[in-house]
Each structure stands twice: as C-alpha cells, then as structure tokens.
Amino acid sequence: MSAGTVTAEQAARALVDRMKEVALCLDFDGTLSPVVDDPEAARPLRGVVELLGPLASRFAAVAIVSGRPAAYLGEHVAAPGVRYLGLYGLQEMHDGRIRVDPRLEEARPTVAAAAEALRESDAVHDSGAWLEDKEYAVAVHTRRIPDRERWADRIDRAARRIADRYGLELIPGKMVWELRPLVRSDKGDAVRRVVDESGARIVVVVGDDLGDLPAFAALTELAAEGHDVLRVAVRSEEAPPQLLAAADLVLQGPDEVLEFLRRLVV
C-alpha cells in the first residue's frame, strides 16, 4: 500500500482483508474534528465516534494521537478499546486510566511559570490571543483573532523568547505556538509504541498538520523494516504541502475521513 497513490476504496479493501493486523492511528483536530476558531469547541464529526469502537474490536489497534491532553481526547472521542495518546504520546489514556511520562511531572512548575510569562507578554495580552493550559504544556492560539496576521510575528518572537528563557521546546502549528518540556516525543514515537505493543504488521496514519510529519516519517522507517504502511493526509487550506506530497492517499476534509472509516466497518 505504500507504493504509489491509492484510492480510498482500494485502501479500505486492502485493510479489511487483513484487519487483525492493522494499527489505525488518527489525528484529532482537522481530521476527526473540523477546524474551528475556538479550540475548546472542537468536537468530532457526527458519526465518527460510533465507528471507533467497532473498529477497535476488529483491528489490532485504534489510537487517537494528538497534541491534545489525553483526558480531553478520552472525553470527547470516547469509544471502547480505543487508545488515546495525548501530548504527542507523552500522556496516554487507555481503559479510563492515564499514564504520564514522569519527566513531565517534574517540569510542571516550569511550564506554569512560562504560561504566566506568556500571559503577561504584550504580544499575547494586546492581541487577545488565547492561552490553552495543557497542564504539562501551554499553547498560544491566534485562530480567533480577527487580524491575526498583524500579530503573528510578535507572538512568534515572544513565544520563542519565553521558551528559551525557561528551557522549553517551541512547537509551531496552524495558528498556534506550543511550549512544552524538552522531553523527546513526537507523533512518530507514539505511532511506533502503538505498533510495538499491538504487534501490528500494517500501519495507517491519518493527519492534517505539521505535527503529523514525524508520524509519516515513522511509517517510512516501518516500511523499510517490512511493515505495510498507508500515509493518509487530510486536505485543507492550511494543510502543509509536504504532508500532502508524502501521502499515499489524500482525503478532502473530515467528511471524507468519516466515509473512509465507514468503509472499514464490515
């Protein structure tokens, strides 16, 4: 499945034929949920959640892999058997229990201090940007700012300055800057863990953002190790060109993701 471009129908048929070997790793924002101005208002597209439980009972693994906290994912995409890997895999909720990388716990005071510095910065305060408290990370969102292009450079400089001051990593995304501890983990690491722990031989990643590029890269490595892989990009006005170029299959927004998932439920 990794060689060349496939259609959604062809990909779904191949996955159903070997469903017990498949690990399905799904992004949340822009993939299962339409992009909205208020990140707190993001919810999965109607009909998505009802499909995930049946898929989890048939596939080797179904995981939601996101920069969101695991508890948020577990609350809003609740389905039996699904794994929720939040904060790019540093936090996981499975069967109602949350597991956190201990290095994150140690860094919580530093993240809180950085959040306060962001809150007091002129760029964030004057622009009206929204700060998202992720408990183990903090993110600055500009999606709901009417003149966000005017403020983007100033917020970028402020976020970088504060990240450097507190020794945090800065992860830019679509109209968002996330500051998090320098604890190595990305979506590629999370996908590998799902594959290792499930024993899957076929790995599917569906995503739409810069944060999904490491997951696509992990699939390239897994393919070299003998796994069958499928890189699915979700197109939007904000989807990075490199993600679309690397994809084996491109879907047109969450609506087509929903239809793709429906093809997998037999």
Side-chain angles (χ1 to χ4, degrees), residues 23-26 191 203-207 212 215-216 219 230-233:
L24 177 62
C25 300
L26 302 157
V191 168
V203 194
V204 183
V205 167
V206 187
D212 297 297
F216 274 26
L219 292 201
L230 180 67
R231 292 162 285 245
V232 183

Side-chain angles (χ1 to χ4, degrees), residues 145-216:
I145 300 176
D147 52 350
R148 52 180 171 258
E149 294 300 325
R150 170 191 168 197
W151 293 98
D153 287 343
R154 288 182 60 186
I155 290 174
D156 182 76
R157 290 194 297 271
R160 293 181 186 280
R161 183 173 63 252
I162 291 168
D164 287 343
R165 184 192 311 169
Y166 290 96
L168 298 173
E169 182 179 16
L170 178 70
I171 308 295
K174 292 183 298 189
M175 303 180 211
V176 61
W177 292 258
E178 180 170 322
L179 282 68
R180 69 183 194 189
L182 285 166
V183 178
R184 178 70 177 88
S185 184
D186 57 32
K187 288 190 178 183
D189 299 315
V191 168
R192 275 195 168 273
R193 188 162 84 238
V194 171
V195 173
D196 291 344
E197 294 177 359
S198 67
R201 299 302 305 165
I202 304 172
V203 194
V204 183
V205 167
V206 187
D208 78 310
D209 199 358
L210 289 169
D212 297 297
L213 285 170
F216 274 26

Side-chain angles (χ1 to χ4, degrees), residues 20-263:
K20 290 297 184 183
E21 301 176 68
V22 176
L24 177 62
C25 300
L26 302 157
D27 179 38
F28 179 72
D29 292 283
T31 298
L32 299 182
S33 167
V35 174
V36 293
D37 289 339
D38 181 358
E40 286 291 279
R43 298 292 184 270
L45 199 67
R46 184 183 299 275
V48 163
V49 174
E50 292 79 2
L51 297 172
L52 297 179
L55 287 172
S57 70
R58 292 165 170 80
F59 284 14
V62 173
I64 313 300
V65 183
S66 171
R68 297 268 193 175
Y72 183 97
L73 301 172
E75 177 184 356
H76 296 296
V77 201
V82 175
R83 297 177 63 170
Y84 305 95
L85 282 77
L87 305 184
Y88 307 96
L90 290 172
Q91 189 183 54
E92 179 172 1
M93 184 176 187
H94 187 50
D95 292 334
R97 301 177 63 183
I98 294 182
R99 180 176 65 192
V100 181
D101 189 304
R103 295 172 294 176
L104 289 187
E105 291 289 355
E106 295 176 4
R108 285 181 70 179
T110 301
V111 171
E116 185 60 27
L118 284 168
R119 192 172 292 108
E120 294 176 352
S121 73
D122 291 341
V124 173
H125 179 271
D126 295 347
S127 67
W130 179 64
L131 284 184
E132 180 186 6
D133 179 5
K134 294 189 171 186
E135 189 174 7
Y136 302 100
V138 60
V140 185
H141 295 268
T142 60
R143 185 174 296 280
R144 58 172 73 164
I145 300 176
D147 52 350
R148 52 180 171 258
E149 294 300 325
R150 170 191 168 197
W151 293 98
D153 287 343
R154 288 182 60 186
I155 290 174
D156 182 76
R157 290 194 297 271
R160 293 181 186 280
R161 183 173 63 252
I162 291 168
D164 287 343
R165 184 192 311 169
Y166 290 96
L168 298 173
E169 182 179 16
L170 178 70
I171 308 295
K174 292 183 298 189
M175 303 180 211
V176 61
W177 292 258
E178 180 170 322
L179 282 68
R180 69 183 194 189
L182 285 166
V183 178
R184 178 70 177 88
S185 184
D186 57 32
K187 288 190 178 183
D189 299 315
V191 168
R192 275 195 168 273
R193 188 162 84 238
V194 171
V195 173
D196 291 344
E197 294 177 359
S198 67
R201 299 302 305 165
I202 304 172
V203 194
V204 183
V205 167
V206 187
D208 78 310
D209 199 358
L210 289 169
D212 297 297
L213 285 170
F216 274 26
L219 292 201
T220 300
E221 297 169 357
L222 287 164
E225 296 167 13
H227 290 75
D228 288 327
V229 305
L230 180 67
R231 292 162 285 245
V232 183
V234 184
R235 188 189 300 275
S236 71
E237 292 181 0
E238 301 163 0
Q242 57 267 50
L243 189 78
L244 299 173
D248 306 303
L249 170 65
V250 177
L251 300 176
Q252 307 299 320
D255 286 319
E256 286 201 3
V257 174
L258 173 62
E259 290 306 313
F260 181 66
L261 295 179
R262 283 177 174 154
R263 292 176 185 271

